[in-house]
Amino acid sequence: MVEAILSKTKGDRWIWLIVILLSILSLLAVYSSTGTLAYKKGVGTEQYLFKHLVMIVGGLALMYFSHLLDYRYYAGISKVLMIVTVPLLLYTLIFGNNVNEASRWVTIPLINQTFQTSDLAKLALITFLARTLTKKQEQIKDVKKSFLPIMGSVSAVFILIALANLSTAMMLFGVSILLLIIGRISIKQIGIVCMAGLVLLTLVVFFGPRSATYKSRIDVYMHPEKADPDKSFQANQAKIAIATGGIFGKGPGNSTQRNFLPHPYSDFIYALIIEEYGMVGGFLVVFIYLVLLYRCILIVTASPKAFGALLAAGLSFSLTIQAFANMAVAVGLGPVTGVPLPLVSMGGTSILFTSVAFGIILSVSRDIEEKKLAKDAKVIIGEIPAMA
């Protein structure tokens, strides 16, 4: 059965293994961390576990079908995604569901399921930038034909996300800069993009609708000894969870801080993992994401086409930067944000979009493998007459 499954899955086997490991860890952590939430809602913990399992299975299915599609098709899909994304982000800001003073979610009619539009925006912008940078390589220094369209798309998506979700916008902006560097945009033009991003960031932080929240989080992080206990509550509880976890942890399901952490199943799931599995478990998670980054870099360097390399680079950087940002916040190395741990945190559509990103990376890897096999086959066929 295992051989039959492996025969139908293509691409980097290590990435498939990483996805399976993270999915198993996610099920264990979510089941352990949702006890208090289930109690408050008056339902069984199994209900949240089942819902999360459905999302993981759905994500694996999307990942499988995404990796079967030739990655070159995503160039055309990216145009449609960008056309949909910008109006959708604007709609979310005006009419989206407001949670904690932030409009990040919209409700899908009929199924009554919410999704965070920034997840779609990340996928759209990265694929669009990869396509544009590839298509404009011959005119890459042309300001009017290349630089302005690229800068316009990055700035538009950044500002629309930043007004409600600054941390996600900053990470996506950083990934965009990395893609511009890989795509041979001049240092001068990249400097202009960075300056524009800094101006937009300043405007959002000081004059945006959530400026008070952003300034408060930064102040709490910089001066925790002077902070209001209510505002530093999440960070303090996460530190307690990590401190009491020790080297080997309290064991699966034995967390106590899950009863105090506001979001132990999403934003602070890494703190819960360390509490239950100790520093050993925490370092293992870090190692898994480092291996993921390493395998993705191998795919980027092996890709014969610029679009495939840029696509794999952008998506892999996005996933790993998000992962390390989440873990950094959990251990107190950054101000509190609402960034989930990819494929581990409990989530709805965020798991689905993350799975599609993995599927696209695997599609690039599958293309590399198929070309290598075809090349090897030609070499073998060419050697037969010589041996005769």
Side-chain angles (χ1 to χ4, degrees), residues 124 141 150 181 228 234 259 274 277 307 373:
K141 306 297 182 182
I150 291 171
I181 295 172
D228 185 335
Q234 294 183 86
N259 300 317
I274 295 179
Y277 300 95
F307 178 64
L373 289 173

Side-chain angles (χ1 to χ4, degrees), residues 167 217-222 224 231 234-236 238-239 267-268 324-338:
S167 54
R217 287 180 176 179
I218 293 172
D219 187 58
V220 168
Y221 174 70
M222 297 298 294
K231 294 182 179 179
Q234 294 183 86
N236 290 337
K239 291 174 184 176
D267 300 350
F268 286 93
F324 286 108
N326 174 279
M327 292 185 283
V329 169
V331 299
L333 295 178
V336 173
T337 63

